[in-house]
Amino acid sequence: MNVSCSSSGMVPVSTLGTPRIGLRRELKAALESYWSGKIDQAALLDIAARLRAANWARQKALGVTNIPSNDFSLYDHVLDTAVMVGAIPEAYGWTDGPVPLDTYFAMARGSQGDAVCEHGHAHVHGEGVPALEMTKWFDTNYHYMVPEFVAGQRFTLASSKAVDEYREAKVLGYDTRPVLLGPVTFLRLGKAKDTGLDPLSLLGDLLPVYVETLRRLSASGAEWVQMDEPCLVTDLDDAARAALREAYGFFAHALPKLKIMLTSYFGGLGDNLDTALALPVAGLHLDLARAPEQLAEVSTKARAGLALSLGVIDGRNVWRADLSKLLAALEPVVRKRGTDHVEIAPSCSLLHVPIDLAQETALDPDVKSWLAFAVQKMEELTTLATAVSGHRQAVADKLAASSAAAEARRMSLKVHNPAVAERLAAVTPEMVRRASPFAERVRVQRERLRVPTFPTTTIGSFPQTPEVRKARAAHGRGEVSDAAYDAFLREETAATIRWQEEIGLDVLVHGEFERNDMVQYFGEQLEGFAFTRHGWVQSYGSRYVRPPVLFGDVARPQPMTVEWWRYAQSITRRPMKGMLTGPVTILNWSFVRDDVPRSLACRQIALAIRDEVTDLEAAGAMMIQIDEAAIREGLPLRRADWDAYLGWAVESFRLCAAGVRDATQIHTHMCYSEFNDIIAAIGAMDADVISIETSRSKMELLDAFVSYRYPNEIGPGVYDIHSPRVPTVDEIAELLAKATRLLAPEQIWVNPDCGLKTRKWEEVRPALINMVAAANRLRGDLAQAAE
Ligand code: GLN
Ligand code: ZN
């Protein structure tokens, strides 16, 4: 053995963090039982402790050497951090001492429980303290609670969770490496409640609280601590870099013996590389799945004593790795730095992948053989570590199996469909352009559609009542026949259409009762997608999603929505919108294949949706809505990459939408409201009508459209569907009046902020009746003004 001082000469294996939710979503069940009063706090905490113990045992059994602790969370690790440092807004009524569990959950869900929409915006209305805001964790589909800071913010150690869980593991026989969210990323993720306050200015007050936790960890026996600073892969200014130097300099000074593994993930260090390498830490973790190219530079520049954690196994996706390929990249680094200064790791915490592929007994066996979930990824990590430590022979069969699976996937006809490649190659510039510009289209459309000024409509879904969900579940279990289920759905649809007519909506929808989820519904009907039974990943708190797995070329074997549309239109004389999910949203909410660029996968989906669009048109649809709820979510972390993404995202939307005649009106819908920095791309999508979320901002969020002089039609949401509250006619009319001062009246549509599926009929009925009344009032005002 050469210079290695680690006892075994084996390269250590880390996971950086594991899924918290349990193999069978035990955490969700426990949380919901606790919130509804069915179990008490002790029972909840007991289940949580068992989940942690199972996680530790599993990692140990699979050969993980750096087992993390404090990666578990009852709700969210950013919230845990806020609680650790006592950043608890006054409204929650905490003053000192340990933070009660119910205060923690009040921050997460509001003091009356949550009213959270499916995309993770938390809103609580009426009495009680609202939840903290929630937003996307970097570019993942995990959402964290946004910490709040005020001027003169004080920090104090208010939770011993990190230390408790370290000790808990120790008692069970695991010497773990605790994980903390680093102070700089923590501050940058938070929000200043007072204008002019820069959260980073609070760093000096925050660091002693971190040091206190680190000191206790160290005193309890921790040799290493993992500090997550994913902000290292984002655009940082000098102040942020200085903050990193200050923080890690402070830690090194206060605790010279404690070793910090500083983790960057979700991308390359890029222009932050020199900053990261100069920090006085014992180790640096690199995301080599997203940014493999940084390895060469880092391994030449890193000082000899710095341990490099090589994140080669993709922690963000579900594909099995080609281990021999990875080994070829790892071997020279290990040779150069020695087995004691290298670790093998996933690119990021395994939080973002499902737990165990072995549970997927119904998956296509070929597709299954190409996948790896958290457990399988841990096996891959130990195989790599064994091989790279000079014991290649011991894992020769595993390496061979991995290469064979990679080769089979590369060659499979399930993945590669020559017809799709041909179609894609035949896409012409005309296909991504409507025949005429909007100014001309709008004339033909108005002529044909004859909707009044301020046309009223909804976004697509109507309440998914318990009866609808029950019927779907029963049908799924085979307890209800196809025919009976179909009859039930038709009855729901017909009743909803009759009701829309009755209250006087101008443009109708069928209600989407047949859809489980706006992406899954289409994925299930397209070639190239697979679905798991237990492949849940945490979206936020107790909300988990089961993303489709996009594994192959996408094709549409047959129409997906045309029959439902035809039925719906057949029972009304008013225009019925066709209702589709757009390609970018389908892509962004799936696990996407890693053997072709995302842009190419997106274009394939676009072609499939294009076929659906033209089939709907041929069936007689005059208006087709293509929802792109997730375009903004897909924005890359680095500004420099935005244009490339927006370029192909917009092109994909146009490809799916532009196959129709001028007279066919294309609608799109987006579930958010921050358009300022992407408004040019939204304009370039060239939808005839776009509906957006504006009610809570009182139309302020229309600004982007106004200053851009957005020429097409817009439906600024006038009903906050995230709230059970019913808006009054006056309120809605006032919002609309505001919109008319910002936009031309003939540009404006009247609609809610989003689909109504999470609301109850008792709320939806009066709200939409008021919406129609408000539109009528405005029409009256307009007519009067014209006289
Ligand atoms: N048409 C969908 C619905 O109404 C749109 C939802 C969304 O974009 N999130 O539910
Ligand atoms: Zn929406």
Side-chain angles (χ1 to χ4, degrees):
M1 211 101 308
N2 51 4
V3 291
S4 166
C5 57
S6 65
S7 51
S8 61
M10 280 285 281
V11 172
V13 171
S14 315
T15 55
L16 308 186
T18 56
R20 310 149 177 165
I21 62 182
L23 269 174
R24 291 291 168 111
R25 294 184 287 159
E26 290 86 346
L27 185 57
K28 179 188 182 70
L31 286 168
E32 287 173 354
S33 302
Y34 175 71
W35 291 331
S36 65
K38 284 198 209 94
I39 63 172
D40 64 7
Q41 180 167 325
L44 171 65
L45 297 182
D46 183 55
I47 293 169
R50 282 166 206 256
L51 286 169
R52 288 192 291 271
N55 274 339
W56 291 322
R58 186 185 293 121
Q59 291 174 86
K60 172 123 199 190
L62 291 168
V64 175
T65 35
N66 295 323
I67 297 175
S69 60
N70 198 40
D71 56 329
F72 179 84
S73 177
L74 281 173
Y75 201 92
D76 165 43
H77 56 272
V78 182
L79 180 60
D80 293 342
T81 312
V83 166
M84 174 181 93
V85 302
I88 299 165
E90 233 176 72
Y92 298 99
W94 173 85
T95 45
D96 55 17
V99 179
L101 191 60
D102 289 333
T103 306
Y104 176 84
F105 285 134
M107 293 169 79
R109 319 167 59 234
S111 56
Q112 295 194 318
D114 53 352
V116 177
C117 79
E118 54 172 333
H119 304 301
H121 316 275
H123 315 285
V124 173
H125 301 258
E127 309 294 311
V129 189
L132 292 176
E133 250 178 60
M134 183 169 2
T135 196
K136 263 171 92 72
W137 171 245
F138 296 85
D139 60 355
T140 70
N141 286 328
Y142 176 88
H143 301 77
Y144 70 91
M145 307 309 301
V146 180
E148 291 181 359
F149 307 121
V150 292
Q153 176 76 45
R154 307 191 54 82
F155 297 107
T156 165
L157 188 60
S159 160
S160 54
K161 175 179 181 292
V163 181
D164 297 344
E165 290 181 12
Y166 174 78
R167 292 194 181 140
E168 178 183 306
K170 197 148 206 192
V171 169
L172 295 173
Y174 309 102
D175 198 1
T176 57
R177 186 168 77 181
V179 185
L180 293 177
L181 176 58
V184 178
T185 299
F186 171 67
L187 287 175
R188 284 176 62 91
L189 292 178
K191 183 171 154 179
K193 294 302 273 184
D194 293 312
T195 42
L197 172 68
D198 173 7
L200 275 188
S201 70
L202 305 169
L203 185 67
D205 294 324
L206 177 63
L207 293 177
V209 183
Y210 267 81
V211 164
E212 188 55 35
T213 296
L214 293 174
R215 212 186 287 284
R216 291 186 193 191
L217 286 170
S218 173
S220 307
E223 198 186 329
W224 280 86
V225 170
Q226 173 186 327
M227 282 273 200
D228 289 354
E229 291 283 11
C231 74
L232 278 166
V233 308
T234 64
D235 296 324
L236 296 180
D237 56 14
D238 289 343
R241 293 192 183 124
L244 284 161
R245 284 190 290 271
E246 182 185 340
Y248 291 87
F250 193 86
F251 295 155
H253 184 76
L255 295 137
K257 291 223 183 69
L258 185 72
K259 295 180 188 154
I260 291 179
M261 172 57 70
L262 181 69
T263 50
S264 64
Y265 47 78
F266 302 149
L269 289 161
D271 57 354
N272 300 322
L273 176 65
D274 292 338
T275 306
L277 285 176
L279 296 174
V281 290
L284 179 65
H285 171 80
L286 306 167
D287 181 338
L288 298 175
R290 281 272 176 93
E293 70 286 347
Q294 60 180 343
L295 181 57
E297 193 183 354
V298 174
S299 90
T300 14
K301 279 192 174 173
R303 62 175 190 275
L306 187 71
L308 291 183
S309 165
L310 308 174
V312 285
I313 294 292
D314 193 347
R316 291 286 299 276
N317 214 330
V318 289
W319 303 105
R320 185 171 178 179
D322 187 344
L323 297 176
S324 304
K325 243 188 179 162
L326 294 179
L327 267 181
L330 291 173
E331 269 160 352
V333 189
V334 176
R335 220 174 297 129
K336 178 161 170 201
R337 305 191 72 83
T339 50
D340 54 341
H341 282 94
V342 169
E343 294 175 12
I344 307 291
S347 58
C348 60
S349 158
L350 295 171
L351 177 68
H352 308 288
V353 292
I355 299 177
D356 190 359
L357 185 63
Q359 297 198 102
E360 301 301 330
T361 47
L363 206 55
D364 174 302
D366 285 336
V367 174
K368 189 173 170 182
S369 71
W370 306 328
L371 297 177
F373 293 176
V375 164
Q376 289 69 37
K377 285 174 188 285
M378 292 177 203
E379 287 167 352
E380 293 183 326
L381 292 168
T382 46
T383 303
L384 281 175
T386 310
V388 88
S389 308
H391 308 289
R392 205 181 233 275
Q393 224 26 59
V395 289
D397 52 339
K398 290 189 178 151
L399 296 177
S402 154
S403 303
E407 181 63 8
R409 184 178 161 209
R410 226 172 353 255
M411 305 305 292
S412 173
L413 289 176
K414 289 182 182 166
V415 176
H416 306 283
N417 177 345
V420 174
E422 262 164 49
R423 270 197 82 187
L424 217 54
V427 170
T428 60
E430 288 70 52
M431 287 170 71
V432 289
R433 231 181 5 239
R434 296 289 296 272
S436 311
F438 174 75
E440 281 168 47
R441 300 195 306 263
V442 71
R443 273 191 292 110
V444 230
Q445 287 169 16
R446 286 195 184 134
E447 185 89 350
R448 180 183 187 211
L449 302 171
R450 304 212 162 272
V451 289
T453 325
F454 304 121
T456 52
T457 190
T458 61
I459 305 304
S461 58
F462 268 82
Q464 291 258 331
T465 56
E467 295 75 60
V468 173
R469 290 172 195 277
K470 257 181 239 152
R472 180 181 309 129
H475 177 246
R477 287 191 302 265
E479 293 160 18
V480 170
S481 72
D482 289 353
Y485 182 54
D486 202 61
F488 167 82
L489 291 174
R490 278 174 182 248
E491 192 34 57
E492 286 294 308
T493 306
T496 301
I497 292 171
R498 279 195 300 273
W499 185 79
Q500 292 174 76
E501 285 183 325
E502 240 168 72
I503 69 157
L505 283 160
D506 301 304
V507 172
L508 310 193
V509 298
H510 75 287
E512 301 182 23
F513 301 107
E514 78 287 9
R515 303 186 186 179
N516 36 20
D517 170 273
M518 63 186 284
V519 169
Q520 190 179 348
Y521 183 73
F522 291 94
E524 281 175 349
Q525 301 186 68
L526 291 168
E527 279 172 17
F529 285 90
F531 291 83
T532 64
R533 274 247 187 79
H534 305 283
W536 298 97
V537 290
Q538 195 175 10
S539 167
Y540 65 83
S542 59
R543 266 308 268 263
Y544 313 153
V545 293
R546 228 174 359 172
V549 177
L550 172 52
F551 66 89
D553 289 339
V554 177
R556 187 198 66 147
Q558 60 205 21
M560 303 181 282
T561 65
V562 174
E563 275 322 303
W564 273 114
W565 177 84
R566 210 192 296 275
Y567 167 68
Q569 184 67 85
S570 75
I571 55 177
T572 180
R573 300 169 65 95
R574 305 217 174 164
M576 175 64 58
K577 281 194 277 192
M579 194 58 64
L580 305 173
T581 302
V584 188
T585 300
I586 294 179
L587 184 89
N588 282 342
W589 287 348
S590 300
F591 282 119
V592 180
R593 55 194 289 198
D594 61 353
D595 57 341
V596 298
R598 288 176 80 84
S599 55
L600 183 117
C602 196
R603 280 190 197 101
Q604 292 185 353
I605 306 170
L607 275 179
I609 302 292
R610 178 183 174 98
D611 292 345
E612 190 71 13
V613 170
T614 47
D615 279 350
L616 281 168
E617 179 184 57
M622 297 190 289
M623 302 172 176
I624 300 162
Q625 180 176 312
I626 307 166
D627 295 326
E628 282 291 22
I631 279 208
R632 193 173 206 294
E633 289 191 19
L635 280 175
L637 293 173
R638 296 271 196 177
R639 272 280 172 159
D641 302 327
W642 280 25
D643 283 352
Y645 164 76
L646 288 171
W648 60 253
V650 168
E651 199 213 66
S652 293
F653 181 83
R654 294 172 60 125
L655 179 58
C656 83
V660 295
R661 291 177 293 130
D662 285 351
T664 302
Q665 190 172 58
I666 296 290
H667 293 227
T668 190
H669 165 70
M670 293 185 191
C671 287
Y672 42 83
S673 37
E674 300 135 48
F675 288 102
N676 281 308
D677 43 11
I678 57 164
I679 187 70
I682 303 297
M685 287 168 68
D686 198 25
D688 296 304
V689 184
I690 181 172
S691 58
I692 57 173
E693 179 181 316
T694 43
S695 72
R696 268 173 309 141
S697 76
K698 309 251 176 294
M699 298 286 151
E700 264 164 38
L701 297 161
L702 267 179
D703 283 359
F705 290 83
V706 177
S707 45
Y708 179 75
R709 294 175 195 281
Y710 185 79
N712 303 12
E713 298 182 6
I714 311 180
V718 291
Y719 161 23
D720 177 6
I721 62 92
H722 305 299
S723 161
R725 230 184 114 254
V726 174
T728 64
V729 181
D730 284 345
E731 276 170 59
I732 299 177
E734 201 178 303
L735 288 179
L736 282 174
K738 207 161 168 186
T740 58
R741 291 194 289 273
L742 298 168
L743 305 163
E746 60 277 8
Q747 261 185 302
I748 300 174
W749 284 66
V750 180
N751 47 255
D753 273 345
C754 191
L756 304 167
K757 69 166 161 237
T758 55
R759 294 265 62 88
K760 299 195 169 83
W761 273 106
E762 301 85 85
E763 300 149 3
V764 163
R765 280 196 202 97
L768 291 183
I769 288 171
N770 289 353
M771 189 182 87
V772 171
N776 281 330
R777 185 188 291 175
L778 243 78
R779 286 169 193 155
D781 292 351
L782 198 66
Q784 227 168 26
E787 271 163 25

